[in-house]
Coordinates of all heavy atoms in Angstrom, one line a residue:
M27 N -59.0 -14.3 -18.8 CA -58.1 -13.4 -18.1 C -56.7 -13.5 -18.8 O -56.0 -12.5 -18.8 CB -57.9 -13.8 -16.6 CG -59.0 -13.2 -15.8 SD -59.0 -11.4 -15.8 CE -60.2 -11.1 -14.6
A28 N -56.3 -14.6 -19.2 CA -54.9 -14.7 -19.8 C -54.8 -13.7 -21.0 O -53.8 -13.2 -21.2 CB -54.7 -16.1 -20.3
G29 N -55.9 -13.5 -21.7 CA -55.8 -12.6 -22.8 C -55.5 -11.1 -22.4 O -54.7 -10.4 -23.0
K30 N -56.1 -10.7 -21.3 CA -55.9 -9.4 -20.7 C -54.5 -9.2 -20.3 O -53.8 -8.2 -20.6 CB -56.8 -9.1 -19.6 CG -58.2 -8.6 -20.0 CD -59.0 -8.2 -18.8 CE -60.4 -7.7 -19.2 NZ -61.1 -7.1 -18.0
A31 N -54.0 -10.2 -19.6 CA -52.6 -10.2 -19.0 C -51.6 -10.1 -20.2 O -50.6 -9.4 -20.2 CB -52.3 -11.3 -18.1
E32 N -51.8 -11.0 -21.2 CA -50.9 -11.0 -22.3 C -50.9 -9.7 -23.1 O -49.9 -9.2 -23.5 CB -51.3 -12.2 -23.3 CG -51.1 -13.5 -22.7 CD -51.6 -14.6 -23.6 OE1 -52.0 -14.4 -24.7 OE2 -51.6 -15.8 -23.1
Y33 N -52.1 -9.1 -23.2 CA -52.2 -7.8 -23.9 C -51.5 -6.7 -23.1 O -50.7 -6.0 -23.7 CB -53.7 -7.4 -24.1 CG -53.9 -6.0 -24.6 CD1 -53.7 -5.8 -26.0 CD2 -54.1 -4.9 -23.8 CE1 -53.9 -4.5 -26.5 CE2 -54.2 -3.6 -24.3 CZ -54.1 -3.4 -25.6 OH -54.2 -2.2 -26.1
K34 N -51.7 -6.7 -21.8 CA -51.0 -5.7 -21.0 C -49.5 -5.9 -21.1 O -48.8 -4.9 -21.2 CB -51.5 -5.8 -19.5 CG -50.9 -4.8 -18.6 CD -51.4 -5.0 -17.2 CE -50.7 -4.1 -16.2 NZ -51.2 -4.3 -14.9
N35 N -49.0 -7.1 -20.9 CA -47.6 -7.4 -21.0 C -47.0 -7.0 -22.3 O -45.9 -6.4 -22.4 CB -47.3 -8.9 -20.7 CG -47.6 -9.2 -19.2 OD1 -47.6 -8.4 -18.4 ND2 -47.8 -10.5 -19.0
Q36 N -47.7 -7.3 -23.4 CA -47.2 -6.9 -24.7 C -47.2 -5.4 -24.9 O -46.2 -4.8 -25.4 CB -48.1 -7.6 -25.8 CG -47.5 -7.4 -27.2 CD -46.2 -8.0 -27.4 OE1 -45.9 -9.0 -26.9 NE2 -45.4 -7.3 -28.2
W37 N -48.2 -4.7 -24.4 CA -48.3 -3.3 -24.5 C -47.1 -2.6 -23.8 O -46.4 -1.8 -24.3 CB -49.6 -2.7 -24.0 CG -49.8 -1.3 -24.2 CD1 -50.3 -0.7 -25.3 CD2 -49.3 -0.2 -23.3 NE1 -50.3 0.7 -25.1 CE2 -49.6 1.0 -23.9 CE3 -48.7 -0.2 -22.1 CZ2 -49.3 2.2 -23.4 CZ3 -48.4 1.0 -21.5 CH2 -48.7 2.2 -22.2
Q38 N -46.9 -3.1 -22.5 CA -45.8 -2.6 -21.7 C -44.4 -2.9 -22.4 O -43.6 -2.0 -22.4 CB -45.8 -3.2 -20.3 CG -46.9 -2.6 -19.5 CD -46.9 -3.2 -18.1 OE1 -46.3 -4.3 -17.8 NE2 -47.6 -2.6 -17.2
K39 N -44.3 -4.0 -23.0 CA -43.0 -4.4 -23.6 C -42.8 -3.4 -24.8 O -41.6 -3.0 -25.1 CB -43.1 -5.8 -24.1 CG -41.8 -6.3 -24.8 CD -42.0 -7.8 -25.1 CE -40.7 -8.3 -25.8 NZ -40.8 -9.7 -26.2
E40 N -43.8 -3.0 -25.5 CA -43.7 -2.2 -26.7 C -43.6 -0.7 -26.4 O -43.0 0.1 -27.1 CB -44.9 -2.4 -27.7 CG -44.9 -3.8 -28.3 CD -46.2 -4.1 -29.1 OE1 -47.1 -3.2 -29.1 OE2 -46.3 -5.2 -29.6
N41 N -44.1 -0.3 -25.2 CA -44.3 1.1 -24.9 C -43.5 1.6 -23.7 O -43.5 2.8 -23.4 CB -45.8 1.4 -24.8 CG -46.5 1.3 -26.1 OD1 -46.4 2.1 -27.0 ND2 -47.2 0.1 -26.2
C42 N -42.9 0.7 -22.9 CA -42.3 1.2 -21.7 C -40.9 0.6 -21.5 O -40.6 -0.5 -22.0 CB -43.2 0.6 -20.5 SG -44.8 1.3 -20.5
D43 N -40.1 1.3 -20.8 CA -38.8 0.8 -20.4 C -38.9 0.5 -18.9 O -39.6 1.2 -18.2 CB -37.7 1.9 -20.6 CG -37.4 2.1 -22.1 OD1 -37.4 1.2 -22.9 OD2 -37.0 3.3 -22.5
R44 N -38.1 -0.4 -18.5 CA -38.1 -0.8 -17.1 C -36.8 -0.3 -16.4 O -35.7 -0.4 -17.1 CB -38.3 -2.3 -16.9 CG -39.6 -2.8 -17.4 CD -39.9 -4.2 -17.1 NE -40.0 -4.5 -15.7 CZ -41.0 -4.3 -14.9 NH1 -42.1 -3.8 -15.4 NH2 -41.0 -4.6 -13.6
I45 N -36.9 0.1 -15.2 CA -35.7 0.5 -14.4 C -35.9 -0.3 -13.1 O -36.9 -0.1 -12.4 CB -35.7 2.0 -14.1 CG1 -35.6 2.8 -15.5 CG2 -34.6 2.4 -13.2 CD1 -35.8 4.3 -15.3
N46 N -34.9 -1.0 -12.8 CA -34.8 -1.7 -11.5 C -34.2 -0.8 -10.4 O -33.2 -0.2 -10.7 CB -34.1 -3.0 -11.5 CG -34.7 -4.0 -12.4 OD1 -35.9 -4.1 -12.4 ND2 -34.0 -4.8 -13.2
L47 N -34.9 -0.6 -9.3 CA -34.4 0.3 -8.3 C -34.2 -0.5 -7.0 O -35.0 -1.3 -6.5 CB -35.5 1.3 -8.0 CG -35.2 2.3 -6.9 CD1 -34.1 3.2 -7.2 CD2 -36.5 3.1 -6.6
T48 N -33.0 -0.3 -6.4 CA -32.7 -1.0 -5.1 C -32.5 0.1 -4.1 O -32.0 1.2 -4.4 CB -31.4 -1.8 -5.2 OG1 -30.3 -1.0 -5.6 CG2 -31.6 -3.0 -6.1
V49 N -33.1 -0.1 -2.9 CA -33.0 0.8 -1.8 C -32.6 0.0 -0.5 O -32.8 -1.2 -0.4 CB -34.3 1.6 -1.6 CG1 -34.7 2.4 -2.8 CG2 -35.5 0.6 -1.3
P50 N -32.1 0.7 0.5 CA -31.7 0.0 1.7 C -32.9 -0.6 2.4 O -34.0 -0.1 2.2 CB -31.1 1.2 2.6 CG -30.7 2.2 1.7 CD -31.7 2.1 0.5
K51 N -32.7 -1.7 3.1 CA -33.8 -2.4 3.8 C -34.6 -1.4 4.6 O -34.0 -0.5 5.3 CB -33.2 -3.5 4.7 CG -32.7 -4.7 4.1 CD -33.8 -5.6 3.7 CE -33.3 -6.9 3.2 NZ -34.3 -7.7 2.7
G52 N -35.9 -1.5 4.6 CA -36.8 -0.7 5.3 C -37.2 0.6 4.6 O -38.3 1.1 4.9
R53 N -36.4 1.0 3.6 CA -36.8 2.2 2.8 C -38.0 2.0 2.0 O -38.8 2.9 1.7 CB -35.6 2.6 2.0 CG -35.7 4.0 1.5 CD -35.5 5.1 2.6 NE -36.0 6.4 2.3 CZ -35.4 7.4 1.7 NH1 -34.1 7.2 1.4 NH2 -36.0 8.5 1.5
K54 N -38.2 0.8 1.4 CA -39.3 0.5 0.6 C -40.6 0.8 1.3 O -41.5 1.4 0.8 CB -39.3 -0.9 0.1 CG -40.4 -1.3 -0.8 CD -40.3 -2.8 -1.2 CE -41.5 -3.2 -2.0 NZ -41.4 -4.6 -2.4
D55 N -40.7 0.3 2.6 CA -41.9 0.5 3.4 C -42.1 2.0 3.6 O -43.3 2.5 3.5 CB -41.8 -0.2 4.7 CG -41.8 -1.7 4.5 OD1 -42.4 -2.2 3.5 OD2 -41.3 -2.4 5.4
E56 N -41.1 2.8 3.8 CA -41.2 4.2 4.0 C -41.7 4.9 2.7 O -42.6 5.8 2.8 CB -39.8 4.8 4.4 CG -39.8 6.3 4.6 CD -38.4 6.8 4.8 OE1 -37.4 6.0 4.9 OE2 -38.2 8.0 4.9
I57 N -41.2 4.5 1.6 CA -41.6 5.1 0.3 C -43.0 4.7 0.0 O -43.8 5.6 -0.4 CB -40.7 4.6 -0.8 CG1 -39.2 5.1 -0.6 CG2 -41.2 4.9 -2.2 CD1 -38.2 4.4 -1.5
K58 N -43.4 3.5 0.3 CA -44.8 3.0 0.0 C -45.8 3.8 0.9 O -46.8 4.2 0.5 CB -44.9 1.5 0.3 CG -46.3 0.9 0.0 CD -46.3 -0.5 0.2 CE -47.7 -1.0 -0.1 NZ -47.8 -2.5 0.1
A59 N -45.4 4.0 2.2 CA -46.3 4.7 3.1 C -46.5 6.1 2.7 O -47.6 6.7 2.7 CB -45.7 4.6 4.5
H60 N -45.4 6.8 2.2 CA -45.4 8.1 1.8 C -46.4 8.3 0.5 O -47.2 9.1 0.5 CB -44.0 8.7 1.4 CG -44.0 10.1 0.9 ND1 -44.1 11.2 1.7 CD2 -44.0 10.5 -0.4 CE1 -44.1 12.2 1.0 NE2 -44.1 11.9 -0.3
A61 N -46.2 7.4 -0.4 CA -47.0 7.4 -1.6 C -48.5 7.2 -1.3 O -49.3 7.9 -1.8 CB -46.5 6.3 -2.6
E62 N -48.7 6.3 -0.4 CA -50.2 6.0 0.0 C -50.8 7.2 0.7 O -51.9 7.5 0.5 CB -50.2 4.8 0.9 CG -50.0 3.5 0.2 CD -49.9 2.2 1.1 OE1 -49.9 2.4 2.3 OE2 -49.9 1.1 0.5
R63 N -50.0 7.9 1.5 CA -50.5 9.1 2.1 C -50.9 10.2 1.1 O -51.8 11.0 1.3 CB -49.5 9.7 3.1 CG -49.4 9.0 4.4 CD -48.6 9.7 5.5 NE -47.3 10.0 5.1 CZ -46.2 9.2 5.3 NH1 -46.4 8.1 5.8 NH2 -45.0 9.6 4.9
R64 N -50.2 10.2 0.0 CA -50.5 11.1 -1.1 C -51.6 10.6 -2.1 O -51.9 11.2 -3.1 CB -49.2 11.5 -1.9 CG -48.2 12.2 -1.0 CD -47.1 12.7 -1.8 NE -47.5 13.5 -3.0 CZ -47.7 14.8 -3.0 NH1 -47.5 15.5 -1.9 NH2 -48.0 15.4 -4.1
G65 N -52.0 9.3 -1.8 CA -53.0 8.7 -2.7 C -52.5 8.3 -4.1 O -53.2 8.3 -5.1
E66 N -51.2 7.9 -4.1 CA -50.6 7.4 -5.3 C -49.8 6.1 -5.1 O -49.6 5.7 -4.0 CB -49.7 8.5 -6.0 CG -48.6 9.0 -5.1 CD -47.9 10.2 -5.7 OE1 -48.2 10.7 -6.8 OE2 -47.0 10.7 -5.0
S67 N -49.6 5.5 -6.2 CA -48.8 4.2 -6.1 C -47.3 4.6 -6.0 O -46.9 5.7 -6.2 CB -49.0 3.4 -7.4 OG -48.4 4.1 -8.5
V68 N -46.5 3.6 -5.6 CA -45.1 3.8 -5.5 C -44.5 4.2 -6.9 O -43.7 5.1 -7.0 CB -44.4 2.5 -4.9 CG1 -42.9 2.6 -5.1 CG2 -44.8 2.2 -3.5
N69 N -45.0 3.5 -7.9 CA -44.5 3.8 -9.3 C -44.9 5.3 -9.6 O -44.0 6.0 -10.1 CB -45.1 2.8 -10.3 CG -44.4 2.9 -11.6 OD1 -43.3 2.6 -11.7 ND2 -45.2 3.2 -12.6
A70 N -46.1 5.7 -9.4 CA -46.5 7.1 -9.7 C -45.7 8.0 -8.9 O -45.2 9.1 -9.4 CB -48.0 7.3 -9.4
F71 N -45.4 7.7 -7.6 CA -44.6 8.6 -6.8 C -43.2 8.8 -7.3 O -42.6 9.9 -7.4 CB -44.5 8.1 -5.3 CG -43.5 8.8 -4.5 CD1 -43.5 10.1 -4.2 CD2 -42.4 8.0 -4.1 CE1 -42.5 10.7 -3.4 CE2 -41.4 8.6 -3.3 CZ -41.5 10.0 -3.0
I72 N -42.6 7.6 -7.7 CA -41.2 7.7 -8.2 C -41.2 8.4 -9.5 O -40.3 9.3 -9.7 CB -40.6 6.2 -8.3 CG1 -40.4 5.6 -6.9 CG2 -39.3 6.2 -9.1 CD1 -40.1 4.2 -6.9
K73 N -42.1 8.2 -10.4 CA -42.2 8.9 -11.7 C -42.3 10.4 -11.4 O -41.7 11.2 -12.1 CB -43.3 8.4 -12.6 CG -43.0 7.0 -13.1 CD -43.9 6.5 -14.2 CE -45.3 6.7 -14.0 NZ -46.2 6.1 -15.0
R74 N -43.2 10.8 -10.5 CA -43.4 12.2 -10.2 C -42.1 12.8 -9.6 O -41.7 14.0 -10.0 CB -44.6 12.4 -9.2 CG -44.9 13.8 -8.9 CD -46.1 14.0 -8.0 NE -46.0 13.2 -6.8 CZ -45.4 13.6 -5.7 NH1 -44.7 14.8 -5.7 NH2 -45.4 12.9 -4.6
A75 N -41.5 12.1 -8.7 CA -40.2 12.6 -8.1 C -39.2 12.8 -9.2 O -38.5 13.9 -9.2 CB -39.7 11.7 -7.1
I76 N -39.1 11.9 -10.1 CA -38.1 12.1 -11.3 C -38.4 13.3 -12.1 O -37.6 14.1 -12.4 CB -38.0 10.8 -12.1 CG1 -37.4 9.7 -11.3 CG2 -37.3 11.0 -13.4 CD1 -37.5 8.3 -11.9
D77 N -39.7 13.3 -12.5 CA -40.2 14.4 -13.4 C -39.9 15.8 -12.7 O -39.4 16.7 -13.4 CB -41.6 14.3 -13.7 CG -41.9 13.1 -14.7 OD1 -41.0 12.6 -15.3 OD2 -43.1 12.7 -14.8
E78 N -40.3 15.9 -11.4 CA -40.1 17.2 -10.7 C -38.6 17.6 -10.6 O -38.3 18.7 -10.7 CB -40.8 17.1 -9.3 CG -42.3 17.1 -9.4 CD -42.9 17.0 -8.1 OE1 -42.2 16.9 -7.0 OE2 -44.2 16.9 -8.0
T79 N -37.8 16.6 -10.4 CA -36.3 16.8 -10.2 C -35.8 17.3 -11.6 O -35.0 18.3 -11.6 CB -35.6 15.6 -9.7 OG1 -36.1 15.3 -8.4 CG2 -34.1 15.8 -9.6
I80 N -36.1 16.6 -12.6 CA -35.6 17.0 -14.0 C -36.1 18.4 -14.3 O -35.3 19.2 -14.8 CB -36.1 15.9 -15.0 CG1 -35.3 14.6 -14.8 CG2 -35.9 16.5 -16.5 CD1 -35.8 13.5 -15.7
E81 N -37.4 18.7 -14.1 CA -37.9 20.0 -14.4 C -37.2 21.1 -13.5 O -36.8 22.2 -14.1 CB -39.4 20.1 -14.1 CG -40.1 21.4 -14.5 CD -41.5 21.4 -14.3 OE1 -42.2 20.3 -14.5 OE2 -42.1 22.4 -13.8
R82 N -37.0 20.8 -12.3 CA -36.3 21.8 -11.4 C -34.8 22.0 -11.8 O -34.4 23.2 -11.7 CB -36.4 21.3 -9.9 CG -35.8 22.3 -8.9 CD -36.0 21.8 -7.5 NE -35.3 20.5 -7.2 CZ -35.9 19.4 -7.0 NH1 -37.2 19.3 -6.9 NH2 -35.2 18.3 -6.8
E83 N -34.2 21.0 -12.2 CA -32.8 21.1 -12.5 C -32.5 21.5 -14.0 O -31.3 21.7 -14.4 CB -32.0 19.8 -12.2 CG -32.1 19.5 -10.7 CD -31.4 18.2 -10.4 OE1 -31.0 17.4 -11.3 OE2 -31.3 17.9 -9.1
A84 N -33.5 21.6 -14.8 CA -33.4 21.9 -16.2 C -33.0 23.4 -16.4 O -33.2 24.3 -15.6 CB -34.6 21.7 -17.0

């Protein structure tokens, strides 16, 4: 298993940027519940929200 985790971590390091997001207490649970209702992860929901906003505002 260590090999898979190391590979994934290395791939992410080479191909992804990280953004730390802080929200008011309780908002994380609200965001997670919303994402789950749509059948997506919190990360996928946030990425979609960003993409849709950028597209709409372009």
Side-chain angles (χ1 to χ4, degrees):
M27 278 298 187
K30 279 187 177 184
E32 289 173 11
Y33 173 81
K34 181 180 176 184
N35 291 339
Q36 186 63 34
W37 186 91
Q38 286 180 343
K39 185 177 180 180
E40 293 172 359
N41 294 284
C42 299
D43 289 325
R44 295 187 65 80
I45 299 172
N46 293 323
L47 175 68
T48 56
V49 295
K51 287 277 187 191
R53 194 73 203 266
K54 180 180 175 181
D55 292 335
E56 179 185 357
I57 293 166
K58 184 177 180 183
H60 178 82
E62 287 175 351
R63 284 192 300 274
R64 294 187 52 91
E66 56 190 358
S67 67
V68 170
N69 194 62
F71 165 67
I72 292 171
K73 290 192 314 187
R74 182 174 56 80
I76 291 168
D77 290 343
E78 289 177 3
T79 300
I80 289 172
E81 185 177 322
R82 183 176 61 247
E83 295 178 357

